[in-house]
């Protein structure tokens, strides 16, 4: 099935509440949080954004030739006589009319949608014609000599037919104005059906009023967050904001959002700049489009074909315990089978291929910490439960979750029962992007070096570069840790798992001298091993040292949610955190599960039985300021 966005540490609880409006302001709060994050991370007037997606050196000449030809054809069609038979000329002339009206401020936002779609269709049609190898067709065209593109044919950037409509893969009602996808050169040039975020390459936000530019960029961030959540290989999405007749390119990095200078589409130079950008996106390497070049996209048919010829998988050196059938019975109501995946992703880790089509935990912010837990199978058919999980994240310096997990397992090795409450690591790698000059470690400088450098220079000596810490792309391959605790089969499972979680949290505090600090439903998993229920703790990037002579203050800004934090942590963010704070978080998680149910079926049944607009006091734990949440907890507890 396609990856489903999951919000906050309470996971699917949030979605269920919002769908019944139990949290009336929750969707609005998420929207405002994302938009404010984008505003705070925005770097404006970054002219080098126009060159961020330049193609490799061996394709530069082809990109220039294609830009010159398409731009010349566009201007010739604008100046040509009106005709209904020539589709390309009609597209150019109608676009030009709209652009002049938009520059004068006499058109509505909705008027832009079809003309911008036509602009991208025009570029795709011309690009396809310019590289057409058929000489018989070419001799009737303006340029009878085709443009040779080294390294294979370019891609086509085509718009989906849906505009200002909800796109598949979103959990809310947001509606991107225009969504563009990549297609092969042999594709039919036309509006594409089946709009879905897992297939989106560029998202376009349109504003009629130039004063709404920053609002448009902020709104674009909400759409791009869905792109980041829905694509296992997306690392930094790209978008366009059109305000009036001026277009801006926006690149979403790990910690910054870079916005280009504007290109006025009502002018020859502005149109040429936009055409050059479309050509660059068609010819650049995949990482310049914000995707991970080490991950291969496959159709379900291609993945099945690989499975048919795949060699036998070599088991890891540290073999997994034998799995036994679960002792618990499945819920009586069997859910319908999920739809087939649209895209399958192939990861090669330690020389072994793994396949995926969804995340258990998706990226939770458009900028900042980007952690995804990707479910993996060892064959492209992905039959049965997943066998492995990939922790894919951008780590700050000296932030290595694998090192922490290995330290825990080594120190607790004398107590296998406790050591097995933590993930079993199979492989760790620092991602290397594929480049012509050789593979390069993927970090903030190699991914966004030109943009970072521009921001530093613009800030000047002693200036502030809007928070761009060094981050390195890491992957940790672990055995599948099981389902999260908010998807337990029954109450008895929760009791056993939480008892083990308390013992494990206490053990790492006593023997390893670290505090977990991020107790959430997503970070407590469970599985059946040799007929026994086993708790697996996850999420160790936010741990802190708990040695008595090295107290470390808590930091709420590093925590996923306030709903599960202790009252002391909420009221005194600088206080030294203790094991009691961690166990208090566990207590609040029990309250959530006890109120709403331990799995999705229970939650849906409970919520369906509530009168409309029911208000429960526990909802106050998930909205408002930290101090207000602490006061509500004190009253309720």
């Amino acid at each position: 099935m396609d990856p489903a966005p999951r919000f906050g540490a309470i996971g699917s609880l949030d979605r269920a509440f919002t769908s019944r409006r139990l949290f009336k302001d929750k969707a609005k709060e998420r929207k405002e949080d994302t938009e404010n994050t984008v505003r705070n991370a925005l770097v404006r007037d970054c002219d080098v954004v126009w060159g961020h997606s330049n193609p490799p050196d061996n394709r530069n000449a082809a990109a220039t030739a294609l830009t010159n030809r398409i731009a010349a054809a566009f201007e010739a069609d604008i100046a040509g006589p009106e005709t209904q038979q020539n589709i390309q000329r009609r597209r150019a002339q109608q676009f030009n009319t709209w652009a002049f009206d938009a520059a004068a401020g006499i058109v509505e936002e909705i008027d832009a949608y079809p003309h911008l779609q036509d602009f991208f269709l025009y570029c795709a049609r011309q690009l396809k014609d310019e590289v057409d190898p058929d000489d018989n067709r070419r001799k009737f065209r303006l340029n009878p000599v085709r443009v040779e593109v080294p390294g294979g044919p370019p891609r086509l950037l085509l718009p989906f037919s849906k505009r200002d409509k909800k796109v598949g893969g979103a959990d809310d009602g947001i509606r991107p104005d225009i969504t563009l996808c990549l297609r092969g050169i042999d594709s039919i040039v036309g509006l594409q059906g089946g709009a879905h975020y897992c297939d989106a390459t560029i998202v376009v936000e349109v504003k009629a009023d130039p004063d709404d530019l920053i609002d448009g960029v902020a709104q674009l961030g909400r759409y791009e967050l869905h792109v980041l959540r829905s694509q296992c290989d997306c690392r930094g999405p790209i978008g366009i904001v059109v305000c009036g007749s001026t277009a801006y390119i926006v690149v979403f990095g790990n910690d910054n959002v870079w916005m280009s200078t504007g290109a006025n589409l009502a002018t020859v130079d502005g149109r040429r700049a936009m055409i050059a950008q479309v050509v660059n996106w068609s010819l650049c390497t995949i990482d310049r489009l914000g995707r991970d070049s080490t991950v291969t996209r496959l159709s379900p048919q291609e993945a099945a074909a690989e499975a048919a010829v795949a060699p036998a998988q070599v088991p890891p050196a540290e073999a997994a315990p034998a799995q036994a059938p679960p002792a618990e019975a499945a819920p009586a109501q069997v859910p319908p089978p999920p739809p087939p995946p649209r895209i399958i992703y192939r990861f090669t880790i330690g020389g072994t291929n793994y396949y995926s089509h969804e995340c258990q935990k998706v990226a939770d912010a458009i900028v900042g910490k980007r952690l995804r837990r990707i479910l993996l199978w060892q064959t492209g058919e992905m039959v049965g439960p997943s066998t492995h999980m990939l922790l894919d994240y951008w780590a700050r310096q000296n932030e290595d979750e694998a090192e922490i997990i290995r330290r825990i397992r080594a120190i607790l090795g004398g107590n296998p029962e406790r050591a097995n409450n933590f993930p079993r690591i199979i492989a760790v790698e620092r991602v290397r992007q594929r480049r012509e000059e050789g593979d390069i470690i993927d970090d903030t400088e190699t991914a966004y070096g030109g943009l970072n450098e521009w921001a530093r220079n613009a800030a000047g000596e002693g200036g502030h570069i809007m928070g761009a810490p060094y981050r390195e792309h890491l992957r940790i391959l672990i055995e599948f840790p099981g389902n999260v605790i908010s998807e337990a089969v029954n109450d008895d499972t929760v009791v056993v798992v939480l008892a083990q979680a308390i013992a494990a949290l206490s053990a790492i505090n006593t023997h390893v001298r670290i505090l977990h600090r991020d107790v959430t439903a997503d970070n407590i998993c469970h599985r059946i091993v040799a007929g026994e229920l086993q708790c697996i703790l996850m999420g160790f990037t936010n741990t802190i040292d708990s040695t008595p002579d090295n107290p470390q203050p808590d930091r709420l800004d590093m925590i996923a949610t306030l709903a599960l934090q202790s009252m002391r942590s909420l009221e005194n963010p600088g206080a030294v955190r203790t094991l009691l704070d961690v166990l208090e978080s566990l207590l609040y998680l029990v309250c959530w599960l006890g109120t709403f149910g331990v799995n999705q079926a229970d939650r849906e049944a409970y919520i369906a039985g509530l009168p409309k607009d029911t208000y429960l006091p526990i909802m106050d734990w998930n909205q408002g300021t930290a101090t207000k949440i602490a006061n509500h907890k004190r009253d309720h507890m």
Side-chain angles (χ1 to χ4, degrees):
M1 61 185 295
D2 291 315
R6 306 181 183 193
F7 292 98
I10 313 219
S12 54
L13 295 177
D14 247 3
R15 295 199 307 281
F17 299 154
T18 303
S19 65
R20 286 296 305 268
R21 298 192 62 77
L22 294 183
F23 277 123
K24 293 183 178 180
D25 298 326
K26 196 60 185 174
K28 180 181 178 181
E29 181 182 323
R30 288 204 305 262
K31 167 190 170 183
E32 291 175 351
D33 285 347
T34 299
E35 293 187 356
N36 288 335
T37 298
V38 172
R39 289 187 179 95
N40 292 333
L42 184 61
V43 180
R44 300 186 60 174
D45 299 324
C46 185
D47 54 1
V48 296
V49 170
W50 288 103
H52 179 64
S53 300
N54 282 350
D57 290 344
N58 65 335
R59 286 185 148 197
N60 273 338
T64 301
L66 287 168
T67 298
N68 290 340
R69 291 189 180 191
I70 297 173
F74 198 91
E75 300 307 322
D77 278 330
I78 288 176
E82 293 185 10
T83 175
Q84 293 300 313
Q85 286 72 36
N86 189 326
I87 296 177
Q88 287 290 81
R89 182 173 298 172
R90 191 167 72 248
R91 284 172 174 162
Q93 291 176 344
Q94 292 178 351
F95 175 86
N96 187 56
T97 300
W98 162 80
F100 270 96
D101 290 344
I106 58 174
V107 293
E108 299 294 330
E109 176 183 317
I110 195 172
D111 298 327
Y113 304 156
H115 301 302
L116 288 170
Q117 284 181 325
D118 281 346
F119 177 84
F120 293 111
L121 290 174
Y122 184 101
C123 293
R125 177 74 265 170
Q126 289 298 125
L127 188 147
K128 184 170 182 175
D129 287 347
E130 295 298 346
V131 300
D132 189 349
D134 191 320
D135 292 334
N136 289 326
R137 289 197 297 263
R138 293 208 50 80
K139 64 185 179 182
F140 298 106
R141 294 177 181 150
L142 181 63
N143 296 296
V145 180
R146 71 185 291 252
V147 175
E148 298 285 348
V149 180
R155 322 171 192 93
L156 299 179
L157 195 63
L158 298 172
F160 284 116
S161 56
K162 279 188 175 182
R163 56 181 187 244
D164 195 29
K165 300 284 186 182
K166 181 179 176 181
V167 172
D171 73 307
D172 53 24
I174 63 174
R175 305 180 301 179
D177 295 334
I178 300 172
T179 311
L180 306 173
C181 62
L182 287 182
R183 293 290 184 260
I185 195 65
D186 294 328
S187 301
I188 296 174
V189 176
L191 297 176
Q192 305 295 294
H196 199 285
Y197 276 113
C198 75
D199 204 21
T201 302
I202 308 290
V203 181
V204 184
E205 172 62 19
V206 180
K207 295 292 183 184
D209 188 344
D211 291 339
D212 292 336
L213 172 60
I214 303 304
D215 289 341
V217 177
Q219 192 170 335
L220 183 67
R222 294 165 52 210
Y223 309 145
E224 299 291 15
L225 181 55
H226 282 301
V227 174
L228 192 64
R229 286 170 171 164
S230 300
Q231 299 179 16
C232 290
D233 61 344
C234 182
R235 64 175 192 180
I238 300 173
I240 303 172
V241 176
V242 178
C243 266
S245 64
T246 304
Y248 302 82
I249 311 301
V250 184
V251 176
F252 291 83
N254 295 334
D255 295 275
N256 285 335
V257 178
W258 291 277
M259 182 178 71
S260 72
T261 50
N264 188 349
L265 302 179
T267 67
V268 174
D269 290 342
R271 289 191 288 270
R272 179 185 170 80
M274 198 67 224
I275 290 170
Q277 186 64 61
V278 172
V279 170
N280 285 347
W281 283 330
S282 299
L283 272 68
C284 68
T285 54
I286 202 70
D287 62 297
R288 296 292 95 182
L289 284 168
R291 291 184 184 171
D292 189 338
S293 67
T294 67
V295 182
T296 303
R297 290 192 173 202
L298 303 171
S299 67
Q301 295 77 17
E302 290 171 330
E306 286 197 5
V309 299
Q313 297 284 340
V314 179
E318 190 178 8
Q323 296 280 339
E328 304 161 298
Q333 186 175 6
V334 179
R342 303 165 65 94
I343 298 173
I344 294 173
Y345 303 89
R346 183 181 68 213
F347 296 81
T348 302
I349 305 165
T352 301
N353 289 338
Y354 298 89
Y355 300 84
S356 182
H357 61 92
E358 66 172 303
C359 300
Q360 185 191 60
K361 177 180 174 63
V362 295
D364 51 10
I366 186 61
V367 294
K369 186 176 181 62
R370 291 180 176 177
L371 167 67
R372 284 180 286 195
R373 295 178 187 166
I374 301 172
L375 305 179
L376 297 179
W377 286 258
Q378 289 186 283
T379 68
E381 293 175 321
M382 297 183 295
V383 177
S386 61
T387 56
H388 297 79
M389 178 179 285
L390 190 66
L391 309 181
D392 182 276
Y393 67 107
W394 290 83
R396 294 172 184 258
Q397 274 182 313
N398 303 319
E399 182 184 71
D400 189 340
E401 187 167 0
E403 180 65 27
I404 297 172
I405 295 172
R406 284 171 170 161
R407 178 182 162 202
I408 291 172
R409 291 184 66 92
I411 294 176
L412 300 181
N415 183 352
E417 183 180 2
R418 285 288 75 80
N420 288 333
N421 288 137
F422 302 91
R424 187 186 297 267
I425 295 176
I426 296 171
V428 180
E429 70 173 24
R430 282 160 171 74
V431 179
R432 290 180 174 269
Q433 284 292 331
R434 300 164 187 159
R435 297 285 174 83
E436 288 182 336
E437 61 272 27
D439 291 351
I440 300 174
I441 291 179
D442 194 8
D443 57 31
T444 45
E445 289 307 304
T446 59
Y448 308 105
L451 303 179
N452 277 337
E453 183 180 1
W454 183 93
R456 279 192 293 268
N457 293 335
E461 186 174 351
H464 179 56
I465 176 185
M466 308 195 65
Y470 174 92
R471 290 182 185 267
E472 191 174 14
H473 195 175
L474 299 181
R475 288 197 181 120
I476 305 173
L477 179 67
I478 64 174
E479 290 176 2
F480 180 58
N483 293 324
V484 295
I485 196 171
S486 55
E487 292 303 330
V489 174
N490 53 40
D491 295 351
D492 292 339
T493 298
V494 173
V495 171
V496 174
V497 171
L498 288 178
Q500 292 185 31
I502 292 172
L505 291 168
S506 301
I508 61 173
N509 178 63
T510 302
H511 301 292
V512 191
R513 289 299 182 185
I514 60 174
L515 282 175
H516 187 281
R517 210 169 65 104
D518 198 5
V519 173
T520 67
D522 286 340
N523 286 335
I524 302 176
C525 299
H526 65 287
R527 63 181 184 178
I528 303 293
V529 178
E532 298 292 330
L533 190 60
Q534 185 180 80
C535 166
I536 303 291
L537 290 182
M538 303 283 289
F540 293 92
T541 54
N542 288 330
T543 58
I544 56 175
D545 191 342
S546 65
T547 53
D549 57 346
N550 186 30
Q552 295 187 30
D554 200 3
R555 287 186 55 198
L556 289 178
D557 61 311
M558 297 290 289
I559 302 299
T561 180
L562 302 182
L564 302 179
Q565 294 310 300
S566 69
M567 287 182 278
R568 193 172 69 95
S569 295
L570 292 168
E571 292 174 332
N572 301 288
V576 176
R577 193 173 179 84
T578 68
L579 179 61
L580 288 178
D581 296 302
V582 178
L583 298 181
E584 187 178 334
S585 294
L586 206 58
L587 173 63
Y588 296 138
L589 178 58
V590 172
C591 293
W592 278 99
L593 297 174
T595 300
F596 295 102
V598 298
N599 55 52
Q600 187 66 20
D602 287 354
R603 285 190 287 275
E604 289 178 354
Y606 175 76
I607 293 172
L610 293 175
K612 188 176 181 181
D613 294 331
T614 296
Y615 180 81
L616 301 176
I618 197 173
M619 298 173 195
D620 291 332
W621 296 7
N622 206 30
Q623 48 193 348
T625 64
T627 302
K628 285 184 177 180
I629 292 173
N631 291 336
H632 288 310
K633 287 180 177 179
R634 182 168 282 105
D635 292 341
H636 300 159
M637 301 300 287

